[in-house]
Amino acid sequence: MRKTIVTTQGLKIVVMMAMLVVIFAGIKSAADIIVPFILALFLAFVLNPLIVLLEKWRVPRALAVLLVATLVICMMVFLTTKLLVTLNEFARTLPQYRGLIVDKLSDIEAWFPQSELTLSPEQLASYIDPAATLNMVSKLISYLSNAMAGLFLLLMTVAFMLLEVPQLPYKVEQMSEDPGKGMTNIQRALDSVTRYLVIKTLISVVTGLAVWALLAVTGIRFAFLWGMLAFALNYIPNIGSFIAAIPPIIQAFLFNGFSEGLILAGGYILINLIFGSIIDPKILGRGLGLSTLVVFMSLIFWGWLMGPVGMLLSVPLTIVLKIALEPTAAGHKIAVLLGDGPPEHKS
């Protein structure tokens, strides 16, 4: 009898895994449709606390949604316009990189006059193609310009989602066989994801402002561009902040000098240490219920499945998946694998 029970449980786990594979394959094939919808959903999570706050001030929900959507549109238009101007200026400076790299390599070669280097600085610089970077920047500028049209559609979707929130409990009650338990799980997922996204957004904003201020004080060009990059990549766990630091540090070494580059590198390390290693873990804690390994693996998995948006939303997506799996017997075992250990080990 025990062997039959174990076999049945194993079969349920296999069936659950097969279902997940089919679901993920469908998401992968329909990413162009699903990714904007998921992005709109998580934007609604971030903006809903503002709507709730306005409702507490006796503002009708429809008017609150309109006010918040208008504010977001104005902010996005301003930031996108500013970013496009900065990117155009950045693209015009790219041809200077080859000459600067030759000069820097010549300086390095002068430090080692007796070394048997077989390649001259000009030959080494020939492997660096500014045209490829320029092409990438041009594509990014074109993408941002075209994204403005999609931005309004995305925000309209977010607005309708926010208007639909009050009807969510009724719909769950009608759809679920156990309305109380179903609504509890949904509320738990909403609370966890909203808390993570709101806190992460605030930390990302402060991180971007700190990077912008650091670059402005040290006289590094394109401070707004690198501040926006730091803000966006801070959503990517573990590696995002380090990736955001690489371009401005290289630029500082090339354009400003060795000492400025070292100062900037030290500033980035300090910012990442304060926000990434102290403030972020202290505020978020381990309440997410995900192990460190799972957070890193989820970054790779969701990035492969959904591209850059998947990397930005890897943690909240994994939280939702874990909570969705917990109610079922087979799914609970998978949820345990995603968790951060037994309750007595949690701080």
Side-chain angles (χ1 to χ4, degrees), residues 20-35 38 300-308:
L20 289 176
V21 169
V22 172
I23 292 171
F24 290 144
I27 293 175
K28 180 73 173 177
S29 61
D32 292 341
I33 299 174
I34 294 176
V35 169
I38 292 179
I300 299 173
F301 173 74
W302 293 111
W304 165 79
L305 188 68
M306 299 170 56

Side-chain angles (χ1 to χ4, degrees), residues 207-258:
T207 301
L209 290 174
V211 168
W212 172 80
L214 172 66
L215 294 169
V217 168
T218 53
I220 308 298
R221 297 179 66 188
F222 314 118
F224 180 81
L225 174 63
W226 304 132
M228 286 290 293
L229 185 67
F231 161 75
L233 295 188
N234 194 62
Y235 283 95
I236 300 178
N238 301 321
I239 63 173
S241 297
F242 295 100
I243 295 175
I246 294 174
I249 290 175
I250 292 176
Q251 175 193 304
F253 277 113
L254 289 177
F255 281 92
N256 298 79
F258 186 76

Side-chain angles (χ1 to χ4, degrees), residues 188 192-193 195-196 284-291 295 315 319 322-323 340:
R188 183 179 160 211
S192 298
V193 171
R195 178 176 180 270
Y196 172 82
L284 289 174
R286 298 186 67 189
L288 298 176
L290 301 175
S291 71
V295 170
V315 171
I319 293 173
K322 178 176 178 290
I323 293 175
D340 56 355

Side-chain angles (χ1 to χ4, degrees), residues 47-260:
L47 296 177
N48 190 58
L50 290 176
I51 305 299
V52 174
L53 180 62
L54 289 173
E55 283 186 309
K56 289 181 179 179
W57 294 346
R58 301 186 181 279
V59 178
R61 188 172 187 88
L63 180 58
V65 171
L66 178 62
L67 291 174
V68 171
T70 303
L71 176 63
V72 171
I73 289 174
C74 292
M75 288 179 58
M76 292 298 293
V77 169
F78 170 77
L79 292 175
T80 304
T81 304
K82 177 72 174 175
L83 188 58
L84 286 172
V85 172
T86 308
L87 280 172
N88 277 308
E89 184 182 354
F90 178 70
R92 288 195 296 269
T93 66
L94 283 175
Q96 302 175 22
Y97 274 90
R98 185 185 295 274
L100 288 168
I101 291 172
V102 171
D103 294 339
K104 296 297 180 182
L105 291 175
S106 298
D107 293 340
I108 294 174
E109 186 183 39
W111 293 348
F112 305 98
Q114 304 300 324
S115 63
E116 298 180 357
L117 292 175
T118 57
L119 288 176
S120 66
E122 290 78 7
Q123 288 175 306
L124 290 172
S126 67
Y127 291 100
I128 302 172
D129 185 12
T133 308
L134 181 61
N135 184 47
M136 182 181 68
V137 173
S138 300
K139 287 182 178 179
L140 180 58
I141 293 173
S142 176
Y143 174 79
L144 286 173
S145 300
N146 295 331
M148 290 300 294
L151 175 64
F152 291 100
L153 180 61
L154 178 68
L155 289 176
M156 284 183 63
T157 306
V158 172
F160 283 116
M161 286 180 175
L162 291 171
L163 290 172
E164 199 73 13
V165 169
Q167 283 75 43
L168 185 60
Y170 170 77
K171 293 184 177 182
V172 171
E173 182 179 350
Q174 297 300 313
M175 292 173 57
S176 178
E177 295 180 359
D178 187 352
K181 189 174 181 180
M183 193 59 215
T184 300
N185 290 330
I186 290 177
Q187 190 62 50
R188 183 179 160 211
L190 288 173
D191 291 342
S192 298
V193 171
T194 301
R195 178 176 180 270
Y196 172 82
L197 286 174
V198 170
I199 293 175
K200 196 68 175 176
T201 298
L202 293 174
I203 293 175
S204 297
V205 169
V206 177
T207 301
L209 290 174
V211 168
W212 172 80
L214 172 66
L215 294 169
V217 168
T218 53
I220 308 298
R221 297 179 66 188
F222 314 118
F224 180 81
L225 174 63
W226 304 132
M228 286 290 293
L229 185 67
F231 161 75
L233 295 188
N234 194 62
Y235 283 95
I236 300 178
N238 301 321
I239 63 173
S241 297
F242 295 100
I243 295 175
I246 294 174
I249 290 175
I250 292 176
Q251 175 193 304
F253 277 113
L254 289 177
F255 281 92
N256 298 79
F258 186 76
S259 59
E260 288 82 355

Side-chain angles (χ1 to χ4, degrees), residues 250-304:
I250 292 176
Q251 175 193 304
F253 277 113
L254 289 177
F255 281 92
N256 298 79
F258 186 76
S259 59
E260 288 82 355
L262 284 180
I263 292 172
L264 186 61
Y268 263 98
I269 292 173
L270 183 62
I271 290 172
N272 290 332
L273 182 65
I274 293 174
F275 292 103
S277 302
I278 299 177
I279 296 179
D280 199 331
K282 185 175 181 62
I283 295 178
L284 289 174
R286 298 186 67 189
L288 298 176
L290 301 175
S291 71
T292 304
L293 175 62
V294 167
V295 170
F296 181 73
M297 295 302 294
S298 68
L299 171 67
I300 299 173
F301 173 74
W302 293 111
W304 165 79

